[in-house]
Amino acid sequence: MWKFRDVISILDYTRDELEHLFSVTDVILERSLDVGKPLDGKIVATAFIEPSTRTRLSFETAAKRLGAEVINLEPHLSSMAKGESLTDTLRMLDDYANLIVIRSPYEGSAKHAADVCEHPVINGGDGTQHHPTQAMIDLYTIRKLKGRIDGLEVGVLGDLKYGRAAASFIYGLTKFNVKRIWLISPEPLSPRPELMDRLKRMNVDFVKTENLEEAVEDLDILYVTRIQKERFPDPAEYEKLRGSYVITKKLLSRASEDLKVLHPLPRVDELSNDVDDTPYQAYFIQAKLGVPVRMALIGLVLGVF
Ligand code: NCD
C-alpha cells in the first residue's frame, strides 16, 4: 500500500490509504513522538531547490526522531551552482540515501526524480499544483480538531491558481464527502481548469466567489493562503492583486465560534496577527502536526510501520 511507493500527488491515494496514515499518526502522537529508532542506520536526503522552512525542517525532524540520519543538498553550495543538472544531482543522492525528499519550482520535478531514483521519492512541493504531504497534514489537522472531514463546509481562500498547497488541499478534500467547498479568490486567481473539472466529475458541491463575506457564516474550516508572488509571470499583475484579502479577528466575528482557520504558512499580509490568540487559530497546530504526520509517512514508505 505505502511501502517503497513514491509520493507524488495526493490524487494517487485512496481514502483508505489516507485513513491508514492518519491512524499511524494517532499512535505516534499518543506516544508523544517517541516510537523508538526504527530507521537506525538509514539515511534520508533532502533536495530542496526552492526556499522552505516547515517542510524541510519538519521532514528532517521526523526522520531524526525515527532514528535516521539526514543529508541536505544545499543547491547554492553544491555543484548545481557550477551547472550540474538536477538529474545528475539526484543520481548521487540516490546512491547515498534510502529516501529522497524533493522540492522544486518546476512542475513535474518529483515525478522526474522518481523516474531517475531507485529509492522512494517524496514530493515536498513542485510547481503550482502538487504538495501532497502538506495536504495530508491539512486533512489530518481537520480530522483531529473536528473529529471528521465528512460533512464539513470548507472555504479555501487566496491564490487558488498558483498555490500548490491550496490546490493539493482541494484535491485531498475530493477524497472525502465534505458538505461544500467555497473557492474564494480574485477571479484571475481561480483554480486551474483541471481542478475545476475534477470537482465537477466528483460531484462536489462547490461555490466559486470573490467574496468571503458570502461564505463566512457557514464555514467550519477556512483555509487561507498567500498570494504566490514568485509564480506570477507579470509582477504588475501581482501588484494589482496583493492585499486582496486580509483575515482579521473583526472579520471573523460573524463566523461560527467553532470555525478553525488553517494556513499552510508562510503568511505575509493575508492573515492578521490578531487572529493568533483567538480560538479560531489552528495554523500553528497544523504546522506542529507536520512532524508526526511526516514521521508516519516516512515510516510507512520505508516499510517500518
Ligand atoms: C507552501 C509551499 O511552499 O507551497 N508552504 C508550505 O510548504 N507550508 C505555501 C506557500 O509558500 O505559500
Side-chain angles (χ1 to χ4, degrees):
M1 234 177 31
W2 283 88
K3 197 171 170 182
F4 300 139
R5 193 166 147 200
D6 302 305
V7 180
I8 307 298
S9 159
I10 192 76
L11 285 170
D12 299 336
Y13 291 84
T14 63
R15 176 180 180 142
D16 281 352
E17 287 168 334
L18 294 172
E19 305 266 14
H20 183 54
L21 174 80
F22 300 159
S23 314
V24 174
T25 308
D26 285 342
V27 174
I28 292 172
L29 274 177
E30 274 157 29
R31 298 194 192 163
S32 308
L33 313 194
D34 184 3
V35 288
K37 305 279 177 212
L39 294 184
D40 188 25
K42 299 275 192 264
I43 295 180
V44 171
T46 65
F48 278 44
I49 58 170
E50 200 185 38
S52 168
T53 299
R54 275 150 294 272
T55 305
R56 188 171 69 79
L57 293 177
S58 66
F59 262 114
E60 187 161 344
T61 306
K64 289 184 171 177
R65 284 205 179 267
L66 294 170
E69 302 219 36
V70 179
I71 54 171
N72 289 303
L73 173 81
E74 311 226 11
H76 55 291
L77 296 177
S78 78
S79 290
M80 286 184 83
K82 303 179 195 167
E84 186 167 33
S85 69
L86 177 62
T87 306
D88 281 359
T89 306
L90 287 164
R91 279 200 181 102
M92 298 305 109
L93 293 180
D94 193 33
D95 285 340
Y96 304 155
N98 302 94
L99 171 74
I100 297 117
V101 186
I102 183 172
R103 160 167 293 192
S104 136
Y106 312 115
E107 215 96 43
S109 288
K111 173 72 176 72
H112 175 66
D115 291 342
V116 171
C117 298
E118 293 204 357
H119 289 105
V121 168
I122 297 180
N123 185 0
D126 66 343
T128 62
Q129 300 297 286
H130 295 291
H131 194 349
T133 70
Q134 182 65 50
M136 290 167 190
I137 294 161
D138 303 338
L139 295 168
Y140 182 77
T141 304
I142 295 175
R143 175 183 170 278
K144 184 147 187 64
L145 296 178
K146 294 280 184 188
R148 65 196 167 106
I149 298 166
D150 294 336
L152 299 180
E153 286 215 28
V154 182
V156 191
L157 174 137
D159 189 342
L160 309 186
K161 180 177 184 186
Y162 297 118
R164 60 191 171 207
S168 295
F169 175 60
I170 298 166
Y171 278 130
L173 290 174
T174 66
K175 302 279 170 172
F176 294 82
N177 297 312
V178 291
K179 185 169 167 202
R180 180 172 298 142
I181 303 179
W182 293 82
L183 304 168
I184 310 154
S185 72
E187 188 53 35
L189 298 180
S190 299
R192 304 266 165 144
E194 58 270 31
L195 201 160
M196 298 304 292
D197 285 348
R198 172 150 178 112
L199 293 177
K200 289 176 198 150
R201 220 173 39 245
M202 300 296 288
N203 283 320
V204 175
D205 183 352
F206 70 86
V207 181
K208 207 166 142 313
T209 175
E210 297 197 46
N211 186 2
L212 172 65
E213 310 269 314
E214 215 186 299
V216 74
E217 285 172 23
D218 294 329
L219 295 178
D220 299 296
I221 300 290
L222 177 60
Y223 190 96
V224 183
T225 64
R226 173 178 74 87
I227 297 190
Q228 308 276 300
K229 178 179 181 182
E230 69 277 26
R231 306 209 196 281
F232 278 68
D234 176 2
E237 194 59 24
Y238 169 73
E239 288 305 324
K240 272 192 242 158
L241 296 167
R242 66 183 294 182
S244 296
Y245 302 99
V246 183
I247 304 303
T248 59
K249 186 172 166 177
K250 182 159 175 282
L251 195 149
L252 295 177
S253 63
R254 283 185 36 232
S256 145
E257 57 182 32
D258 296 327
L259 170 76
K260 294 295 174 202
V261 176
L262 273 72
H263 190 310
L265 303 176
R267 66 175 154 187
V268 188
D269 51 13
E270 66 284 351
L271 178 56
S272 162
N273 289 358
D274 74 3
V275 182
D276 295 1
D277 299 324
T278 70
Y280 301 124
Q281 184 273 108
Y283 32 94
F284 295 131
I285 301 170
Q286 179 188 4
K288 193 170 172 185
L289 289 171
V291 172
V293 174
R294 288 184 168 124
M295 284 173 76
L297 177 68
I298 295 173
L300 284 168
V301 171
L302 288 180
V304 296
F305 292 149

